[in-house]
Amino acid sequence: MSTNILNSYSSRDELYFHSENKRKKRPLTVHVEDRPDVIFWRKILAPYEDSLDINFVPAHSQWSEKRQQTVSASGKSMIMSLIKKGGLSLSSDEIACVDADYDLLIGDTYSNILSQQTFVFTTEWYSIENIKCHPHNLRVMSINLLEGDDCKFDFKRWIEEKTKSYARLILLNLTCRQCWQPDEYSLEAMSDDIAKIEDKQKSIEDVVEEHKKFLSLMEVAITDLENDLRAKGYAPEDYYKIIQGHMLVNQIVVPFLETLLREEYSKRHIDFHNISADIKTFFKREYSVEYLDITDKIRNKMVSTLKL
């Protein structure tokens, strides 16, 4: 009696083929800042999963003198500290992926480490949140939440004009940070100003007027920084790429999206009672990194460095 080959295939065979396939893949350990970051970097590395056996490390252990025990910690500072102390042996088989923050723009906290480390990859823009707010991504999200209906709103023009209007404040904050005077106009102060502007408690002109004297004192340094940013590819309309990411999402983008989508839902008679939760879910895991210019830049650097 012959045996049907279709019936002879078992779970043991499947496990064997899976193990063989995994054995042929090149191992790659990827250190990331935190567990939610795994989603983003997995999306970035998705085209190479057929040839890579990727293991993400979202937290690291270190000795705590205070507790006198080993504790688990996460974050960019932890990864940078381990690199500086030689605690991570980075190579083509072991890399770190972190937010760029201000390290690629000005001489900031970890600029030197990033310039010296070949196998540390960054978001290029300020953070993952800025990439989530790419205008293409915002349009795709809106179409998804509008149940497949097209969204004619020009997100590119909106986000460019919005952050361009905050250019003076962004430049003032960055200049203070670059000159090692962050408390003169801190991120917290800028965040407070933007919150009041977005809530229509103040106008941008009001806020600029409040800082007029300091802006005047820093004018030369601000102009130099603006020119330097232009040379790096960031004109004022591109500042949505380099503004602090959580501020961009929480104070500018999400409130606007909620208002815009409620209006669209009302026009189309779509139930919108879960709109806030839907937007939050999208920004957490349902966003895409495909068809974005910044994704190409990150991937090209990985392909070149890791010889993928």
Side-chain angles (χ1 to χ4, degrees), residues 220-239:
V220 173
I222 287 173
T223 300
D224 287 345
L225 177 59
E226 183 176 6
N227 291 335
D228 186 41
L229 291 178
R230 283 185 183 277
K232 292 177 179 177
Y234 301 107
E237 59 267 25
D238 299 308
Y239 286 1

Side-chain angles (χ1 to χ4, degrees), residues 71-88:
V71 298
S72 180
S74 58
K76 181 177 179 178
S77 59
M78 167 58 70
I79 293 175
M80 295 295 106
S81 175
L82 287 172
I83 292 173
K84 188 174 181 179
K85 295 175 182 177
L88 295 181

Side-chain angles (χ1 to χ4, degrees), residues 93 96 125 213 232:
D93 295 325
W125 295 357
K213 183 176 181 181
K232 292 177 179 177

Side-chain angles (χ1 to χ4, degrees), residues 284-301:
K284 185 175 182 179
R285 65 174 68 89
E286 294 181 2
Y287 61 91
S288 172
V289 300
E290 301 305 326
Y291 311 111
L292 309 184
D293 48 357
I294 186 59
T295 299
D296 291 339
K297 185 174 183 179
I298 297 169
R299 283 177 176 166
N300 288 342
K301 186 174 290 187

Side-chain angles (χ1 to χ4, degrees), residues 66-196:
K66 184 177 181 180
R67 298 185 186 181
Q68 287 296 297
Q69 64 182 36
T70 300
V71 298
S72 180
S74 58
K76 181 177 179 178
S77 59
M78 167 58 70
I79 293 175
M80 295 295 106
S81 175
L82 287 172
I83 292 173
K84 188 174 181 179
K85 295 175 182 177
L88 295 181
S89 301
L90 300 184
S91 67
S92 58
D93 295 325
E94 184 170 3
I95 64 174
C97 295
V98 298
D99 286 341
D101 299 324
Y102 293 136
D103 293 319
L104 304 184
L105 295 178
I106 59 178
D108 210 52
T109 311
Y110 304 115
S111 297
N112 288 337
I113 295 178
L114 290 184
S115 67
Q116 296 166 6
Q117 290 293 330
T118 304
F119 298 104
V120 178
F121 300 93
T122 75
T123 52
E124 298 293 325
W125 295 357
Y126 185 92
S127 69
I128 290 171
E129 284 69 32
N130 301 69
I131 298 175
K132 292 177 182 180
C133 290
H134 190 293
H136 174 77
N137 227 349
L138 299 183
R139 181 173 180 272
V140 169
M141 181 200 65
S142 298
I143 292 172
N144 289 345
L145 296 184
L146 288 170
E147 300 181 356
D149 290 339
D150 194 10
C151 182
K152 302 296 185 182
F153 187 80
D154 190 343
F155 286 102
K156 184 175 186 295
R157 181 177 179 182
W158 170 77
I159 199 168
E160 287 180 350
E161 289 299 319
K162 173 62 72 171
T163 49
K164 183 179 179 181
S165 68
Y166 289 126
R168 297 293 288 167
L169 302 182
I170 294 169
L171 287 168
L172 179 59
N173 168 255
L174 274 172
T175 301
C176 290
R177 192 177 182 96
Q178 186 179 42
C179 296
W180 300 103
Q181 296 175 310
D183 290 340
E184 294 292 346
Y185 190 60
S186 65
L187 271 175
E188 291 76 14
M190 183 170 72
S191 177
D192 186 55
D193 282 340
I194 289 177
K196 289 175 181 176

Side-chain angles (χ1 to χ4, degrees), residues 6-7 16 18 32 37 47 54 66 68 82 105 135 146 162 225 245 261:
L6 294 177
N7 295 329
Y16 171 77
H18 173 74
V32 297
D37 294 7
I54 305 171
K66 184 177 181 180
Q68 287 296 297
L82 287 172
L105 295 178
L146 288 170
K162 173 62 72 171
L225 177 59
L261 290 174

